[in-house]
Amino acid sequence: MTVTYGLASSPFHATMALNQIAEDGEKEFPLASAALKKSFYVDDGLCGAQSVEEARLLCRDLRKLLNTGGLDAHKWCANDPAILEEVPEDAGCETKPLTRQKVLSEIAKFFDPLGLLVVTTAKLILRKVGTLKNIGWLDPVPESVANEWRRFRKQLPALNDFRVSRCVYDEGAERVELHGYSDASDDAYGASVYARNIYPDGEITMRLICSKSKLLPKKVKNVPKELSTPKGELEDHRSSAAELVDKLVNVVDVCFDSVNLWCDSQVVLSWIAKKPDDLELFMANRVRKIQQLTSKYRWGYIPTDDNPADLISRGVMPKNSGHLE
């Protein structure tokens, strides 16, 4: 059986061929026939079973059923190696080199609109891949970059156990406060915002609402860095902390008893307290914006070791992302 690739009718022909094979072998291979009808899209299949033995039977029968139509399944993958014991080695998953396109494609799949996960490390890998020279989209990336990405990707399943309470305000609390934290490192800056509920019995809860991260301009060899860390902190307060807190105050249907912003840079706090006209242009523009957004809020100093935004600016591996919460 041959289906010509690239014609407008090719997807139909491929699907029709599989459906016909499933119909013809329904009595002899009932499990495989049902899987072929319901769990395949064109030439890709995703099946499951209640036990390893049932999965092995399904795997074996699918190969036999497809062979009746002159087809052979390959690129087999399973979450238990025992399932694929009867699959020939040359039909297993293909181990392909990690290419620039593959890394960029996988990182682009992250969907975290509220910034509840710390993905700064992934962004730094993304930038590193993006600056590779003399390497095309389908060329393998250097082994050092590939290993760095594999270490990060290997820990992604740890996020399955990550839980964040989405209740910003508890009616039993006698006071609710909004706290925004910001920080910058040599590579990135970011901010996180929490709701602090205080109860009559003295109990206090801190609940993560959202966070945001962004990379700082990369230092070029023999050229001074565009932004120093203090200036990065100032940019962070302007585009992350101040704007994030101001937006939350206006969109969250909660009347906060106080709004507080925290920074671990005494230099930046002194800049924010000055008149913009007394500062150089770069700092003046950002201080002016910060003052406009946060004139009703309180700024305070927090030690670096107590600043949760420090995790955002420096980046952590997936298994440590929960520390932000």
Side-chain angles (χ1 to χ4, degrees):
M1 181 183 297
T2 302
V3 175
T4 304
Y5 177 79
L7 300 178
S9 58
S10 295
F12 166 75
H13 291 154
T15 302
M16 181 193 69
L18 292 180
N19 285 339
Q20 189 61 53
I21 292 173
E23 290 287 344
D24 295 342
E26 186 173 9
K27 291 184 179 180
E28 186 177 1
F29 306 105
L31 286 177
S33 175
L36 203 56
K37 290 179 180 178
K38 299 179 181 179
S39 303
F40 275 70
Y41 178 74
V42 186
D43 59 350
D44 291 317
L46 181 63
C47 311
Q50 296 297 322
S51 66
V52 172
E53 285 304 317
E54 185 179 338
R56 292 179 66 179
L57 175 62
L58 177 59
C59 178
R60 181 167 57 247
D61 284 358
L62 267 173
R63 294 184 63 235
K64 291 180 179 180
L65 177 60
L66 290 170
N67 284 337
T68 64
L71 302 178
D72 191 17
H74 60 106
K75 298 183 181 178
W76 288 86
C77 291
N79 58 358
D80 190 324
I83 297 174
L84 305 181
E85 288 180 352
E86 299 180 24
V87 176
E89 291 185 6
D90 58 357
C93 284
E94 298 181 359
T95 303
K96 297 181 179 180
L98 194 62
T99 64
R100 184 177 183 178
Q101 180 191 49
K102 182 67 174 177
V103 176
L104 295 176
S105 174
E106 291 191 358
I107 294 179
K109 294 177 183 178
F110 292 153
F111 181 71
D112 184 26
L114 293 180
L116 299 179
L117 304 176
V118 182
V119 294
T120 307
T121 301
K123 291 183 178 181
L124 290 172
I125 297 174
L126 178 64
R127 180 165 70 180
K128 190 176 295 185
V129 172
T131 57
L132 293 174
K133 296 182 179 179
N134 302 321
I135 294 181
W137 284 106
L138 301 179
D139 295 332
V141 299
E143 195 62 23
S144 60
V145 178
N147 289 336
E148 190 176 355
W149 169 245
R150 292 191 187 103
R151 284 194 299 270
F152 180 85
R153 195 178 190 281
K154 187 177 181 180
Q155 291 192 17
L156 288 178
L159 298 178
N160 291 332
D161 299 324
F162 181 65
R163 298 290 184 271
V164 176
S165 173
R166 301 309 304 140
C167 180
V168 175
Y169 171 63
D170 189 340
E171 292 185 356
E174 64 178 8
R175 181 179 174 85
V176 59
E177 304 170 348
L178 191 67
H179 291 263
Y181 302 86
S182 59
D183 186 63
S185 68
D186 289 340
D187 296 314
Y189 61 85
S192 57
V193 183
Y194 295 77
R196 184 172 186 257
N197 286 266
I198 305 174
Y199 300 88
D201 61 359
E203 181 185 355
I204 297 176
T205 62
M206 292 285 285
R207 291 167 178 168
L208 175 65
I209 301 177
C210 63
S211 67
K212 182 179 179 180
S213 64
K214 190 173 182 179
L215 300 187
L216 285 169
K218 184 177 176 61
K219 181 178 180 180
V220 181
K221 188 177 181 180
N222 299 325
V223 177
K225 192 173 182 181
E226 183 177 339
L227 287 183
S228 62
T229 300
K231 286 187 176 181
E233 294 261 12
L234 187 62
E235 178 67 14
D236 174 26
H237 300 322
R238 195 266 311 175
S239 63
S240 293
E243 292 181 355
L244 202 56
V245 167
D246 184 65
K247 181 178 294 186
L248 278 171
V249 169
N250 290 293
V251 301
V252 177
D253 190 20
V254 175
C255 183
F256 295 103
D257 293 288
S258 69
V259 179
N260 311 269
L261 294 103
W262 303 92
C263 170
D264 58 13
S265 172
Q266 298 280 19
V267 175
V268 172
L269 288 174
S270 67
W271 287 342
I272 295 176
K274 290 185 177 181
K275 294 181 179 179
D277 294 339
D278 295 336
L279 302 169
E280 63 175 77
L281 185 61
F282 176 92
M283 295 181 289
N285 289 337
R286 284 152 181 79
V287 168
R288 185 175 291 108
K289 183 65 174 179
I290 291 172
Q291 291 177 349
Q292 290 174 352
L293 292 173
T294 65
S295 60
K296 299 179 182 179
Y297 314 145
R298 184 179 74 88
W299 279 95
Y301 171 77
I302 184 172
T304 299
D305 292 342
D306 297 330
N307 188 357
D310 183 69
L311 296 175
I312 302 174
S313 66
R314 301 182 188 283
V316 295
M317 297 298 280
K319 67 179 182 181
N320 294 322
S321 287
H323 291 177
L324 185 64
E325 195 274 331

